[in-house]
């Protein structure tokens, strides 16, 4: 359902930033004529070296997956149809990713996409009005902050999905808390160049 929301088609070129759970599904969706750039940023690999080896194993069986481990600021190939970041946009703001220069990252996403290309963000919801206060502590981000960041880079907001919404999540717990893990309230936004 997430792949359908993204709108990936056969032949598309997709950058999966902090590749993981959906990389295999993206690979199938783009088919043999497409490409999935599985970007395990250097910052992620430093903290979780196994992420890179897992992607390399997946790529060994899927020739349309290209794995990289560049710094987040230089991670994107050109001429993309889709850039997808799942549950890690908030990390651009915390010490896990540097923090990164988020405006520069979003401008780089814009530059890497073809006209009409889409930028899709899926992340854990933080309390309304909290901005980036919970990125390092709860691993959440205010969806309005994300929308503002990306619109400032020149994108147009296309649509959102409530597919992963969970009204029972009060946004006060760390996403790794066993009582909420895998059941957090998540937003799914799609932007168009």
């Amino acid at each position: 359902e997430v792949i359908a929301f993204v709108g990936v088609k056969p032949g598309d070129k997709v950058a999966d930033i902090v590749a993981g759970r959906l990389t295999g599904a993206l690979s199938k969706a783009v088919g043999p004529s497409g490409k999935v750039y599985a970007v395990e940023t250097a910052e992620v690999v430093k903290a979780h070296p196994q992420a890179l080896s897992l992607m390399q194993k997946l790529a060994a069986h899927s020739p349309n997956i290209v794995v990289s481990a560049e710094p987040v600021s230089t991670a994107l190939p050109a001429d993309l149809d889709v850039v997808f970041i799942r549950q890690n946009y908030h990390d651009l703001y915390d010490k896990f990713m540097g923090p990164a220069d988020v405006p520069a990252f979003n401008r780089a996403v814009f530059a890497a996409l073809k006209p009409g290309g889409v930028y899709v963000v899926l992340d854990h919801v933080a309390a309304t009005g909290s901005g980036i206060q919970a990125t390092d502590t709860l691993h959440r981000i205010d969806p309005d902050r994300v929308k503002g960041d990306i619109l400032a880079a020149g994108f147009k907001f296309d649509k959102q999905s409530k597919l992963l919404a969970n009204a029972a999540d009060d946004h006060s717990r760390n996403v790794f808390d066993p009582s909420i893990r895998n059941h957090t309230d998540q937003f799914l936004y799609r932007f168009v160049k």
Side-chain angles (χ1 to χ4, degrees):
E1 291 170 296
V2 171
I3 302 299
F5 174 82
V6 173
V8 177
K9 303 175 300 307
D12 277 356
K13 290 171 58 181
V14 178
D16 185 10
I17 309 298
V18 189
R21 186 170 287 171
L22 296 177
T23 308
L26 289 167
S27 171
K28 288 178 185 170
V30 302
S33 62
K35 280 279 184 232
V36 175
Y37 297 93
V39 179
E40 293 299 349
T41 66
E43 297 85 356
V44 169
V45 172
K46 183 178 178 184
H48 302 287
Q50 73 279 10
L52 182 60
S53 60
L54 287 172
M55 278 302 111
Q56 289 168 333
K57 286 178 187 173
L58 180 61
H61 300 288
S62 303
N64 65 352
I65 297 176
V66 177
V67 180
S68 69
E70 302 296 322
V72 72
S73 59
T74 60
L76 297 170
D79 203 31
L80 296 170
D81 297 288
V82 176
V83 174
F84 177 60
I85 185 167
R86 180 189 63 85
Q87 298 173 333
N88 289 98
Y89 187 92
H90 72 272
D91 286 318
L92 295 171
Y93 280 105
D94 62 36
K95 60 187 171 200
F96 184 61
M97 291 272 208
D101 181 338
V102 177
F105 175 79
N106 286 325
R107 288 191 303 271
V109 170
F110 189 87
L113 284 165
K114 296 176 182 175
V118 297
Y119 182 16
V120 179
V121 179
L122 185 164
D123 215 328
H124 307 279
V125 176
T128 301
S130 64
I132 60 171
Q133 294 173 358
T135 61
D136 202 27
T137 56
L138 302 179
H139 301 279
R140 298 172 178 266
I141 192 165
D142 183 343
D144 288 339
R145 176 58 182 256
V146 175
K147 188 184 284 186
D149 286 354
I150 296 173
L151 294 177
F155 286 93
K156 292 186 177 163
F157 184 71
D158 184 40
K159 61 182 177 176
Q160 69 181 28
S161 171
K162 298 287 186 184
L163 178 66
L164 299 170
N166 178 3
D169 177 4
D170 69 6
H171 309 144
S172 66
R173 294 186 215 149
N174 184 303
V175 301
F176 300 111
D177 181 320
S179 68
I180 194 69
R181 186 153 191 183
N182 298 319
H183 300 286
T184 59
D185 187 15
Q186 296 175 56
F187 63 94
L188 184 55
Y189 284 170
R190 188 171 119 150
F191 302 86
V192 177
K193 177 175 178 176

